[in-house]
Coordinates of all heavy atoms in Angstrom, one line a residue:
S1 N 0.8 -1.2 0.0 CA 0.0 0.0 0.0 C 0.9 1.3 0.0 O 2.0 1.2 0.5 CB -0.9 0.0 1.2 OG -0.2 0.2 2.4
D2 N 0.3 2.3 -0.5 CA 1.1 3.5 -0.6 C 1.4 4.1 0.8 O 0.5 4.0 1.7 CB 0.3 4.6 -1.4 CG 0.3 4.2 -2.9 OD1 1.0 3.3 -3.3 OD2 -0.5 4.9 -3.6
A3 N 2.5 4.7 0.9 CA 2.8 5.4 2.2 C 1.9 6.5 2.4 O 1.5 7.2 1.4 CB 4.3 5.8 2.2
V4 N 1.5 6.8 3.6 CA 0.6 7.9 3.8 C 1.4 9.2 3.9 O 2.4 9.2 4.7 CB -0.2 7.7 5.1 CG1 -1.0 8.9 5.5 CG2 -1.1 6.5 5.0
V5 N 1.1 10.1 3.1 CA 1.9 11.4 3.2 C 1.1 12.3 4.1 O -0.1 12.5 3.9 CB 2.0 12.0 1.8 CG1 2.7 13.3 1.8 CG2 2.7 11.0 0.9
S6 N 1.8 12.9 5.1 CA 1.0 13.8 5.9 C 0.7 15.1 5.2 O 1.6 15.7 4.6 CB 1.8 14.0 7.2 OG 2.5 15.3 7.1
T7 N -0.5 15.4 5.1 CA -0.9 16.7 4.4 C -1.4 17.7 5.4 O -1.8 17.3 6.5 CB -2.0 16.4 3.4 OG1 -3.1 15.8 4.1 CG2 -1.5 15.5 2.3
I8 N -1.3 18.9 5.0 CA -1.8 19.9 5.9 C -2.8 20.8 5.1 O -2.5 20.9 3.9 CB -0.7 20.8 6.4 CG1 -1.0 22.3 6.3 CG2 0.5 20.6 5.6 CD1 -0.3 23.1 7.2
D9 N -3.8 21.2 5.7 CA -4.6 22.1 4.9 C -4.6 23.5 5.5 O -4.4 23.6 6.7 CB -6.1 21.6 4.6 CG -6.9 21.5 5.9 OD1 -6.8 22.4 6.7 OD2 -7.6 20.5 6.1
F10 N -4.7 24.5 4.7 CA -4.5 25.8 5.2 C -5.9 26.4 5.5 O -6.2 27.5 5.2 CB -3.9 26.7 4.1 CG -2.4 26.5 4.0 CD1 -1.8 25.4 3.4 CD2 -1.6 27.5 4.5 CE1 -0.5 25.3 3.2 CE2 -0.2 27.4 4.4 CZ 0.4 26.3 3.7
D11 N -6.8 25.6 6.1 CA -8.1 26.2 6.5 C -7.9 27.1 7.6 O -6.9 27.2 8.3 CB -9.1 25.1 6.7 CG -8.8 24.2 7.9 OD1 -8.1 24.7 8.9 OD2 -9.2 23.1 8.0
S12 N -8.9 27.9 7.9 CA -8.8 28.9 8.9 C -8.5 28.4 10.3 O -8.0 29.1 11.2 CB -10.1 29.8 8.9 OG -11.2 28.9 9.1
A13 N -8.9 27.1 10.6 CA -8.6 26.5 11.9 C -7.1 26.3 12.1 O -6.6 26.4 13.2 CB -9.4 25.2 12.0
N14 N -6.4 26.0 11.0 CA -5.0 25.7 11.2 C -4.1 26.8 10.8 O -2.9 26.8 11.2 CB -4.6 24.5 10.2 CG -5.2 23.2 10.7 OD1 -5.6 23.1 11.8 ND2 -5.1 22.2 9.8
F15 N -4.6 27.8 10.1 CA -3.7 28.8 9.7 C -4.4 30.2 9.6 O -5.5 30.3 9.1 CB -3.2 28.5 8.2 CG -2.3 29.5 7.6 CD1 -0.9 29.4 7.9 CD2 -2.8 30.5 6.9 CE1 -0.1 30.4 7.3 CE2 -1.9 31.5 6.3 CZ -0.6 31.4 6.6
S16 N -3.7 31.2 10.1 CA -4.3 32.5 10.0 C -3.1 33.5 10.0 O -2.0 33.2 10.4 CB -5.3 32.9 11.1 OG -4.6 32.8 12.4
Y17 N -3.4 34.7 9.5 CA -2.4 35.8 9.6 C -3.1 37.1 9.8 O -4.3 37.3 9.4 CB -1.5 35.8 8.3 CG -2.3 36.0 7.0 CD1 -2.5 37.3 6.4 CD2 -2.9 34.9 6.4 CE1 -3.2 37.4 5.3 CE2 -3.6 35.1 5.2 CZ -3.7 36.4 4.7 OH -4.5 36.5 3.5
Y18 N -2.4 38.0 10.4 CA -3.1 39.3 10.7 C -2.0 40.3 11.0 O -0.8 39.9 11.4 CB -4.0 39.2 11.9 CG -3.4 38.6 13.1 CD1 -2.7 39.4 14.1 CD2 -3.4 37.2 13.3 CE1 -2.1 38.8 15.2 CE2 -2.7 36.6 14.5 CZ -2.1 37.4 15.4 OH -1.5 36.9 16.5
P19 N -2.2 41.6 10.9 CA -3.4 42.2 10.3 C -3.2 42.2 8.8 O -2.2 42.1 8.3 CB -3.4 43.6 10.9 CG -1.9 43.9 11.1 CD -1.2 42.6 11.4
N20 N -4.3 42.4 8.2 CA -4.3 42.6 6.7 C -5.5 43.6 6.4 O -6.6 43.2 6.6 CB -4.6 41.3 6.0 CG -4.3 41.4 4.5 OD1 -3.7 42.3 4.0 ND2 -4.9 40.5 3.7
P21 N -5.2 44.8 6.0 CA -3.9 45.4 5.6 C -2.9 45.5 6.7 O -3.2 45.5 7.9 CB -4.3 46.8 5.1 CG -5.7 46.8 5.0 CD -6.3 45.8 5.9
V22 N -1.6 45.5 6.4 CA -0.5 45.5 7.3 C 0.2 46.8 7.2 O 0.4 47.4 6.1 CB 0.5 44.3 7.1 CG1 1.0 44.3 5.7 CG2 1.6 44.4 8.0
K23 N 0.6 47.4 8.4 CA 1.4 48.6 8.4 C 2.9 48.3 8.6 O 3.7 48.7 7.8 CB 0.9 49.5 9.5 CG -0.4 50.3 9.2 CD -0.7 51.2 10.3 CE -1.8 52.2 10.0 NZ -3.1 51.6 9.8
T24 N 3.2 47.6 9.6 CA 4.6 47.3 9.9 C 5.0 45.8 9.9 O 5.9 45.4 9.2 CB 5.0 47.9 11.3 OG1 4.1 47.4 12.2 CG2 5.0 49.4 11.2
S25 N 4.2 45.0 10.6 CA 4.6 43.6 10.6 C 3.3 42.7 10.5 O 2.2 43.2 11.0 CB 5.4 43.2 11.8 OG 4.6 43.3 13.0
I26 N 3.4 41.5 10.0 CA 2.3 40.6 9.9 C 2.7 39.4 10.8 O 3.8 39.0 10.8 CB 2.1 40.2 8.4 CG1 0.7 39.7 8.3 CG2 3.1 39.3 7.9 CD1 0.2 39.7 6.8
T27 N 1.7 38.9 11.5 CA 1.9 37.7 12.4 C 1.2 36.5 11.8 O 0.0 36.7 11.4 CB 1.4 38.0 13.8 OG1 2.1 39.1 14.3 CG2 1.6 36.8 14.7
I28 N 1.8 35.4 11.8 CA 1.2 34.2 11.2 C 1.0 33.2 12.4 O 1.9 33.1 13.3 CB 2.1 33.5 10.2 CG1 2.2 34.4 9.0 CG2 1.7 32.1 9.9 CD1 3.2 33.9 7.9
D29 N -0.2 32.6 12.5 CA -0.5 31.6 13.4 C -0.8 30.3 12.7 O -1.7 30.2 11.9 CB -1.7 32.0 14.3 CG -1.4 32.9 15.4 OD1 -0.3 32.8 15.9 OD2 -2.3 33.7 15.8
A30 N 0.0 29.3 13.0 CA -0.2 28.0 12.4 C 0.0 26.9 13.4 O 0.6 27.1 14.4 CB 0.8 27.8 11.2
T31 N -0.6 25.7 13.2 CA -0.5 24.6 14.1 C 0.8 23.9 13.9 O 1.3 23.2 14.7 CB -1.7 23.6 14.0 OG1 -1.9 23.4 12.7 CG2 -2.9 24.2 14.6
N32 N 1.4 24.0 12.7 CA 2.6 23.4 12.3 C 3.7 24.4 12.1 O 3.4 25.6 11.8 CB 2.5 22.5 11.1 CG 1.5 21.4 11.2 OD1 0.3 21.5 11.2 ND2 2.1 20.2 11.4
N33 N 5.0 24.0 12.2 CA 6.0 25.0 11.9 C 5.9 25.5 10.5 O 5.7 24.8 9.5 CB 7.4 24.3 12.1 CG 7.9 24.3 13.5 OD1 7.3 25.0 14.4 ND2 8.9 23.6 13.8
V34 N 6.1 26.8 10.4 CA 6.1 27.5 9.1 C 7.6 27.4 8.6 O 8.5 27.9 9.3 CB 5.7 29.0 9.2 CG1 5.9 29.7 7.9 CG2 4.3 29.1 9.7
E35 N 7.8 26.7 7.5 CA 9.1 26.4 7.0 C 9.7 27.6 6.3 O 10.8 28.0 6.4 CB 9.1 25.2 6.1 CG 8.9 23.9 6.8 CD 8.4 22.8 5.9 OE1 8.2 23.0 4.7 OE2 8.2 21.7 6.5
E36 N 8.8 28.2 5.4 CA 9.4 29.3 4.6 C 8.2 30.3 4.3 O 7.1 29.9 4.1 CB 10.0 28.8 3.3 CG 10.6 29.9 2.5 CD 11.3 29.3 1.3 OE1 10.7 28.7 0.4 OE2 12.6 29.5 1.2
I37 N 8.6 31.6 4.3 CA 7.7 32.6 3.9 C 8.4 33.4 2.8 O 9.5 33.9 3.0 CB 7.3 33.6 5.0 CG1 6.8 32.8 6.2 CG2 6.3 34.6 4.6 CD1 6.7 33.7 7.5
E38 N 7.7 33.6 1.7 CA 8.3 34.4 0.6 C 7.2 35.5 0.3 O 6.0 35.2 0.2 CB 8.6 33.6 -0.7 CG 9.7 32.6 -0.5 CD 9.8 31.7 -1.7 OE1 8.9 30.9 -2.0 OE2 10.9 31.8 -2.4
V39 N 7.7 36.7 0.1 CA 6.7 37.8 -0.3 C 7.2 38.3 -1.7 O 8.4 38.6 -1.9 CB 6.7 38.9 0.8 CG1 5.8 40.1 0.3 CG2 6.3 38.4 2.1
F40 N 6.2 38.4 -2.6 CA 6.5 38.9 -3.9 C 5.7 40.2 -4.2 O 4.5 40.3 -3.7 CB 6.0 37.9 -5.0 CG 6.8 36.5 -4.8 CD1 6.3 35.6 -4.0 CD2 7.9 36.3 -5.6 CE1 6.9 34.3 -3.9 CE2 8.6 35.1 -5.5 CZ 8.1 34.1 -4.6
N41 N 6.3 41.1 -4.9 CA 5.5 42.2 -5.3 C 4.7 41.9 -6.6 O 4.8 40.8 -7.1 CB 6.4 43.5 -5.5 CG 7.4 43.3 -6.6 OD1 7.3 42.5 -7.5 ND2 8.4 44.1 -6.6
M42 N 3.9 42.8 -7.1 CA 3.0 42.5 -8.2 C 3.8 42.4 -9.5 O 3.2 41.9 -10.5 CB 1.9 43.6 -8.3 CG 0.9 43.5 -7.1 SD 0.4 41.9 -6.6 CE -0.8 41.5 -7.8
L43 N 5.1 42.7 -9.5 CA 5.9 42.4 -10.7 C 6.5 41.0 -10.7 O 7.2 40.6 -11.6 CB 7.0 43.5 -10.8 CG 6.6 44.9 -10.9 CD1 7.8 45.8 -10.8 CD2 5.9 45.2 -12.2
G44 N 6.2 40.3 -9.6 CA 6.7 39.0 -9.5 C 8.1 38.9 -8.8 O 8.7 37.8 -8.8
Q45 N 8.6 40.0 -8.4 CA 9.9 40.1 -7.7 C 9.8 39.6 -6.3 O 8.9 40.1 -5.5 CB 10.5 41.5 -7.8 CG 10.7 41.9 -9.2 CD 10.9 43.4 -9.3 OE1 10.3 44.2 -8.6 NE2 11.9 43.9 -10.2
R46 N 10.7 38.8 -5.8 CA 10.7 38.3 -4.4 C 11.3 39.4 -3.6 O 12.5 39.8 -3.9 CB 11.4 37.0 -4.3 CG 11.2 36.4 -2.9 CD 11.7 35.0 -2.8 NE 13.1 34.9 -3.3 CZ 13.7 33.8 -3.7 NH1 13.0 32.7 -3.7 NH2 14.9 33.8 -4.2
V47 N 10.6 39.9 -2.6 CA 11.1 41.0 -1.8 C 11.5 40.6 -0.4 O 12.3 41.3 0.3 CB 10.2 42.2 -1.8 CG1 10.1 42.9 -3.2 CG2 8.8 41.8 -1.3
I48 N 11.0 39.5 0.1 CA 11.3 38.9 1.4 C 11.4 37.4 1.3 O 10.5 36.8 0.7 CB 10.2 39.3 2.5 CG1 10.1 40.8 2.6 CG2 10.5 38.6 3.8 CD1 9.0 41.2 3.6
T49 N 12.4 36.8 1.9 CA 12.4 35.4 2.1 C 12.8 35.2 3.6 O 13.7 35.8 4.1 CB 13.5 34.7 1.3 OG1 13.3 35.1 -0.1 CG2 13.5 33.2 1.4
Q50 N 12.0 34.3 4.2 CA 12.3 34.0 5.7 C 12.0 32.6 5.9 O 11.1 32.0 5.4 CB 11.3 34.9 6.5 CG 11.8 35.2 7.9 CD 11.0 36.2 8.6 OE1 10.9 37.4 8.1 NE2 10.4 35.9 9.7
R51 N 12.9 31.9 6.7 CA 12.7 30.5 7.1 C 12.6 30.4 8.6 O 13.6 30.1 9.3 CB 13.9 29.7 6.5 CG 13.9 29.6 5.0 CD 15.0 28.7 4.5 NE 14.9 28.7 3.0 CZ 15.4 29.6 2.2 NH1 16.0 30.7 2.7 NH2 15.3 29.5 0.9
P52 N 11.4 30.7 9.1 CA 11.3 30.9 10.6 C 11.3 29.6 11.3 O 11.8 29.5 12.5 CB 10.0 31.6 10.7 CG 9.2 31.3 9.5 CD 10.2 31.1 8.4
N53 N 10.8 28.5 10.8 CA 10.7 27.2 11.5 C 10.1 27.3 12.9 O 10.6 26.8 13.9 CB 12.1 26.5 11.6 CG 12.4 25.7 10.3 OD1 11.5 25.0 9.8 ND2 13.6 25.8 9.8
Q54 N 9.0 28.0 12.9 CA 8.2 28.1 14.2 C 6.8 28.3 13.8 O 6.4 28.5 12.6 CB 8.7 29.3 15.0 CG 8.6 30.7 14.3 CD 9.2 31.8 15.2 OE1 10.3 31.6 15.7 NE2 8.5 32.8 15.4
T55 N 5.9 28.2 14.8 CA 4.4 28.1 14.5 C 3.8 29.5 14.4 O 2.8 29.7 13.8 CB 3.7 27.3 15.5 OG1 4.0 27.9 16.8 CG2 4.1 25.9 15.4
N56 N 4.5 30.5 15.0 CA 3.9 31.9 14.9 C 4.9 32.9 14.6 O 5.2 33.8 15.5 CB 3.0 32.2 16.1 CG 3.8 32.1 17.4 OD1 4.9 31.6 17.4 ND2 3.3 32.6 18.5
P57 N 5.5 32.9 13.4 CA 6.5 33.9 13.1 C 5.9 35.3 12.8 O 4.7 35.4 12.5 CB 7.1 33.3 11.8 CG 6.0 32.5 11.2 CD 5.3 31.9 12.3
R58 N 6.7 36.3 13.0 CA 6.3 37.6 12.6 C 7.2 38.1 11.4 O 8.4 37.8 11.4 CB 6.6 38.6 13.8 CG 5.3 39.1 14.4 CD 5.6 39.9 15.6 NE 6.1 41.3 15.1 CZ 6.3 42.3 16.0 NH1 6.1 42.1 17.2 NH2 6.7 43.4 15.5
L59 N 6.5 38.7 10.5 CA 7.2 39.1 9.3 C 7.2 40.6 9.2 O 6.2 41.2 9.2 CB 6.4 38.5 8.1 CG 7.1 38.6 6.7 CD1 8.3 37.8 6.6 CD2 6.1 38.2 5.6
E60 N 8.4 41.2 9.2 CA 8.6 42.6 9.2 C 8.3 43.1 7.7 O 9.0 42.7 6.8 CB 9.9 43.1 9.6 CG 10.2 42.8 11.1 CD 9.2 43.5 12.0 OE1 8.7 44.6 11.7 OE2 8.9 42.9 13.1
M61 N 7.4 44.0 7.6 CA 7.0 44.5 6.2 C 7.1 46.0 6.2 O 6.7 46.7 5.2 CB 5.7 44.0 5.8 CG 5.6 42.5 5.6 SD 4.0 41.9 5.0 CE 4.0 42.5 3.3
G62 N 7.6 46.6 7.3 CA 7.5 48.1 7.4 C 8.3 48.8 6.3 O 8.1 50.0 6.0
N63 N 9.4 48.1 5.7 CA 10.2 48.8 4.8 C 9.7 48.6 3.3 O 10.3 49.1 2.4 CB 11.7 48.3 4.9 CG 11.7 46.8 4.7 OD1 10.7 46.1 4.7 ND2 12.9 46.3 4.4
L64 N 8.6 47.9 3.2 CA 8.0 47.8 1.8 C 7.2 48.9 1.4 O 6.5 49.5 2.3 CB 7.2 46.5 1.7 CG 8.0 45.2 2.0 CD1 7.0 44.0 1.8 CD2 9.1 45.0 1.0
E65 N 7.1 49.2 0.2 CA 6.2 50.3 -0.3 C 4.8 49.8 -0.2 O 4.5 48.6 -0.2 CB 6.5 50.5 -1.8 CG 7.8 51.2 -2.1 CD 8.0 51.4 -3.6 OE1 7.0 51.5 -4.3 OE2 9.2 51.4 -4.0
A66 N 3.9 50.8 0.0 CA 2.5 50.5 0.0 C 2.0 49.8 -1.3 O 2.5 50.1 -2.3 CB 1.7 51.8 0.2
G67 N 1.1 48.9 -1.1 CA 0.6 48.2 -2.3 C 0.2 46.8 -2.0 O 0.1 46.4 -0.8
V68 N -0.1 46.0 -3.0 CA -0.5 44.6 -2.9 C 0.6 43.7 -3.1 O 1.4 43.8 -4.0 CB -1.7 44.3 -3.9 CG1 -2.1 42.9 -3.8 CG2 -2.8 45.3 -3.7
Y69 N 0.8 42.7 -2.2 CA 1.8 41.7 -2.2 C 1.2 40.3 -2.2 O 0.1 40.1 -1.7 CB 2.8 41.9 -1.1 CG 3.6 43.2 -1.2 CD1 3.1 44.4 -0.7 CD2 4.9 43.2 -1.8 CE1 3.8 45.6 -0.9 CE2 5.6 44.4 -1.9 CZ 5.0 45.6 -1.5 OH 5.7 46.7 -1.6
L70 N 2.0 39.4 -2.6 CA 1.6 37.9 -2.5 C 2.6 37.3 -1.5 O 3.8 37.4 -1.7 CB 1.7 37.2 -3.9 CG 0.8 37.8 -4.9 CD1 1.0 37.1 -6.3 CD2 -0.7 37.6 -4.5
M71 N 2.0 36.7 -0.5 CA 2.8 36.0 0.5 C 2.6 34.5 0.4 O 1.5 34.0 0.5 CB 2.3 36.5 1.9 CG 3.0 35.8 3.1 SD 2.4 36.4 4.7 CE 0.8 35.7 4.8
K72 N 3.7 33.8 0.0 CA 3.7 32.4 -0.2 C 4.2 31.7 1.1 O 5.4 32.0 1.5 CB 4.5 32.0 -1.4 CG 4.5 30.5 -1.7 CD 5.4 30.2 -2.9 CE 5.6 28.8 -3.1 NZ 6.6 28.5 -4.2
V73 N 3.4 30.9 1.7 CA 3.7 30.3 3.0 C 3.9 28.8 2.8 O 3.0 28.2 2.2 CB 2.6 30.6 4.0 CG1 3.0 29.9 5.4 CG2 2.4 32.1 4.2
S74 N 5.0 28.2 3.3 CA 5.2 26.8 3.1 C 5.2 26.1 4.5 O 6.0 26.5 5.4 CB 6.6 26.5 2.4 OG 6.6 27.1 1.2
I75 N 4.4 25.1 4.6 CA 4.3 24.3 5.9 C 4.2 22.8 5.5 O 3.5 22.4 4.6 CB 3.0 24.7 6.6 CG1 3.0 26.2 7.0 CG2 2.9 23.8 7.9 CD1 1.7 26.6 7.6
N76 N 5.1 22.0 6.1 CA 5.1 20.6 5.8 C 5.2 20.3 4.3 O 4.6 19.4 3.8 CB 3.8 19.9 6.3 CG 3.9 19.6 7.8 OD1 4.9 20.0 8.5 ND2 2.9 19.0 8.4
G77 N 6.0 21.1 3.6 CA 6.2 20.8 2.2 C 5.0 21.3 1.3 O 5.1 21.2 0.1
A78 N 4.0 21.8 1.9 CA 2.8 22.3 1.1 C 2.9 23.8 1.2 O 3.4 24.4 2.2 CB 1.5 21.9 1.7
S79 N 2.5 24.5 0.1 CA 2.6 25.9 0.1 C 1.3 26.5 -0.4 O 0.6 25.9 -1.2 CB 3.8 26.5 -0.7 OG 3.7 26.1 -2.0
K80 N 1.0 27.7 0.0 CA -0.2 28.4 -0.4 C 0.1 29.9 -0.5 O 0.9 30.4 0.3 CB -1.4 28.1 0.5 CG -2.7 28.6 -0.1 CD -3.9 28.0 0.6 CE -5.2 28.5 0.0 NZ -6.4 28.0 0.6
T81 N -0.5 30.6 -1.4 CA -0.2 32.0 -1.6 C -1.4 32.8 -1.2 O -2.5 32.5 -1.5 CB 0.2 32.3 -3.0 OG1 1.3 31.5 -3.4 CG2 0.6 33.7 -3.2
F82 N -1.1 33.9 -0.4 CA -2.2 34.8 0.1 C -1.9 36.2 -0.4 O -0.7 36.6 -0.5 CB -2.2 34.7 1.6 CG -2.4 33.4 2.2 CD1 -1.3 32.6 2.5 CD2 -3.7 32.9 2.4 CE1 -1.5 31.3 3.0 CE2 -3.9 31.6 2.9 CZ -2.8 30.8 3.2
Q83 N -2.9 37.0 -0.6 CA -2.8 38.4 -0.9 C -2.7 39.2 0.3 O -3.6 39.1 1.2 CB -3.9 38.8 -1.8 CG -3.7 40.1 -2.5 CD -4.8 40.4 -3.5 OE1 -4.8 39.8 -4.6 NE2 -5.6 41.4 -3.3
V84 N -1.7 40.1 0.4 CA -1.6 40.9 1.5 C -1.5 42.4 1.1 O -0.8 42.6 0.0 CB -0.3 40.6 2.3 CG1 0.0 41.6 3.4 CG2 -0.3 39.2 2.8
I85 N -2.2 43.3 1.7 CA -2.1 44.7 1.4 C -1.3 45.4 2.4 O -1.5 45.3 3.6 CB -3.6 45.3 1.4 CG1 -4.4 44.6 0.3 CG2 -3.5 46.8 1.2 CD1 -5.9 44.8 0.4
K86 N -0.3 46.1 1.9 CA 0.6 46.9 2.7 C 0.2 48.4 2.6 O 0.0 48.9 1.5 CB 2.1 46.8 2.2 CG 3.0 47.8 2.8 CD 3.4 47.5 4.2 CE 4.5 48.3 4.7 NZ 4.3 49.7 4.8
E87 N -0.1 48.9 3.8 CA -0.6 50.3 3.8 C 0.6 51.3 3.8 O 1.6 51.0 4.4 CB -1.4 50.6 5.1 CG -2.8 49.8 5.0 CD -3.7 50.2 6.2 OE1 -3.2 50.5 7.3 OE2 -4.9 50.3 6.0

C-alpha cells in the first residue's frame, strides 16, 4: 500500500495571519512549523524570504512600499499563496 503522506490544509482553523492590511509587521499563526515565507510584489519580484521554522512567526514589512503583495507560506512541504495589502 502507498505510504501515507502527511498533508496539511490551510483552512482557517490551522492557519491565520493578521493584520491585513498591514502597516509594519504581519503575524502568522499555524499549528505546524512554518518552514518558509516568501513575499512577492506585483511584478513577481521576491522582496522577502524568511525561514522561521516556528508556528507563529512575525514578518517585518515596514520597509516595503504601500501596495498589494503575494505572501507564499510553506508548511510541511505544502505551500499556499495569500494576498496581503501593505498600507
Side-chain angles (χ1 to χ4, degrees):
S1 69
D2 291 350
V4 175
V5 177
S6 100
T7 56
I8 134 156
D9 65 44
F10 280 79
D11 65 28
S12 53
N14 288 345
F15 179 88
S16 63
Y17 59 95
Y18 55 89
N20 189 20
V22 55
K23 282 184 168 67
T24 54
S25 69
I26 199 160
T27 300
I28 292 174
D29 274 331
T31 47
N32 297 77
N33 274 350
V34 176
E35 290 158 358
E36 186 175 59
I37 306 166
E38 294 174 294
V39 178
F40 299 88
N41 64 20
M42 294 316 280
L43 299 175
Q45 298 163 319
R46 188 169 54 198
V47 292
I48 297 176
T49 304
Q50 204 168 302
R51 293 181 178 83
N53 276 319
Q54 60 185 50
T55 55
N56 57 347
R58 251 179 74 171
L59 190 66
E60 294 301 327
M61 295 182 71
N63 58 345
L64 296 181
E65 292 178 25
V68 178
Y69 292 85
L70 297 176
M71 178 177 71
K72 182 180 174 189
V73 180
S74 301
I75 301 175
N76 278 5
S79 62
K80 189 163 183 182
T81 301
F82 303 90
Q83 189 169 293
V84 175
I85 296 165
K86 167 73 169 66
E87 292 188 324

